Amino acid sequence: AQSVTQLDSQVPVFEEAPVELRCNYSSSVSVYLFWYVQYPNQGLQLLLKYLSGSTLVKGINGFEAEFNKSQTSFHLRKPSVHISDTAEYFCAVSPGGTSYGKLTFGQGTILTVHP
Amino acid sequence: DADVTQTPRNRITKTGKRIMLECSQTKGHDRMYWYRQDPGLGLRLIYYSFDVKDINKGEISDGYSVSRQAQAKFSLSLESAIPNQTALYFCATSDFAHRAGGNTGELFFGEGSRLTVL
């Protein structure tokens, strides 16, 4: 079984400040990790994913995340946020093998960027 | 047109009514999923289908049923709706293939169907 915990339900931040959204996971097998973003009244879209290789993953809109296997974490970061980054962010984990793609999501973190 | 289309986008119904949410996709993916989103709980998997003849229960399948009518169509039914099924429902698709450097199983979501059960 696998699970995902997003450590902050809400993160307020001022425009142009850095931000980190925290995600921890647990799994008994190797996993693949994702961050999705949901803008108001829209579906989810992929920000970035870690499948293998370099532990620092770069995604769209200037976001990046670092996979830390020893700490079972996959925190999302952006060095300077914009008002348009206001959204809900979801961390997700997928098993490998034939079940690949069957995602388990965290509870979500609402990022609010203030002017 | 959207690659993953859900209908209806909004629905208000009464307790005990039968409701069907429909999903169609033009991405040619084999795998389709129904998730439910509740505030503070994230998305939880209801059912998933890895091909037309394969249907599997997810984390919270009680009170729901599904039908995979074709590769491109996957519908979710609530046989007798109850108020705690009020939620935002998402359909998603994915391509199975896990190819280095290529499409690697990413989920593609519809825009959601908001269901209110009174």
Side-chain angles (χ1 to χ4, degrees):
Chain A
Q2 53 195 19
S3 66
V4 178
T5 301
Q6 292 182 240
L7 298 169
D8 306 291
S9 59
Q10 297 191 52
V11 173
V13 64
F14 287 107
E15 194 173 19
E16 298 184 4
V19 69
E20 178 179 80
L21 306 184
R22 298 180 294 166
C23 173
N24 286 349
Y25 70 92
S26 66
S27 176
S28 58
V29 297
S30 296
V31 295
Y32 304 95
L33 295 156
F34 303 80
W35 275 98
Y36 281 83
V37 60
Q38 183 182 28
Y39 298 105
N41 300 313
Q42 295 186 25
L44 280 72
Q45 59 181 278
L46 183 69
L47 268 182
L48 49 78
K49 60 189 175 227
Y50 172 78
L51 304 178
S52 64
S54 173
T55 57
L56 182 63
V57 180
K58 294 189 182 298
I60 63 172
N61 300 338
F63 284 94
E64 63 182 32
E66 185 154 20
F67 170 59
N68 188 318
K69 187 174 182 179
S70 63
Q71 297 187 6
T72 60
S73 67
F74 190 54
H75 300 332
L76 180 70
R77 302 185 183 99
K78 186 169 182 178
S80 176
V81 295
H82 302 288
I83 296 288
S84 59
D85 292 323
T86 294
E88 189 162 16
Y89 293 78
F90 293 94
C91 182
V93 61
S94 171
T98 56
S99 290
Y100 181 73
K102 181 171 160 286
L103 268 60
T104 298
F105 285 85
Q107 302 90 331
T109 298
I110 297 173
L111 174 66
T112 304
V113 181
H114 298 282
Chain B
D1 289 340
D3 293 326
V4 183
T5 302
Q6 294 183 229
T7 56
R9 293 292 311 281
N10 288 283
R11 182 71 182 269
I12 300 174
T13 190
K14 295 181 179 179
T15 297
K17 293 292 188 182
R18 183 178 188 274
I19 295 297
M20 178 181 286
L21 305 180
E22 297 184 326
C23 177
S24 63
Q25 53 116 344
T26 58
K27 298 193 74 67
H29 289 166
D30 289 328
R31 299 185 165 197
M32 299 187 72
Y33 310 78
W34 276 105
Y35 282 90
R36 166 179 172 160
Q37 183 181 14
D38 297 279
L41 297 179
L43 280 77
R44 293 177 291 167
L45 184 61
I46 306 173
Y47 270 95
Y48 62 102
S49 170
F50 282 176
D51 65 42
V52 174
K53 297 181 180 180
D54 176 78
I55 302 288
N56 303 281
K57 292 182 178 181
E59 179 185 355
I60 54 164
S61 59
D62 287 350
Y64 301 95
S65 62
V66 290
S67 174
R68 185 80 183 268
Q69 301 94 326
Q71 185 201 37
K73 296 183 182 297
F74 192 39
S75 59
L76 176 71
S77 293
L78 289 68
E79 295 302 324
S80 180
I82 56 177
N84 76 1
Q85 291 178 313
T86 293
L88 183 57
Y89 291 84
F90 284 104
C91 175
T93 73
S94 73
D95 181 3
F96 168 66
H98 181 191
R99 309 184 196 96
N103 184 6
T104 50
E106 170 188 349
L107 290 187
F108 293 85
F109 286 84
E111 295 195 338
S113 296
R114 186 169 297 280
L115 176 65
T116 302
V117 183
L118 302 176

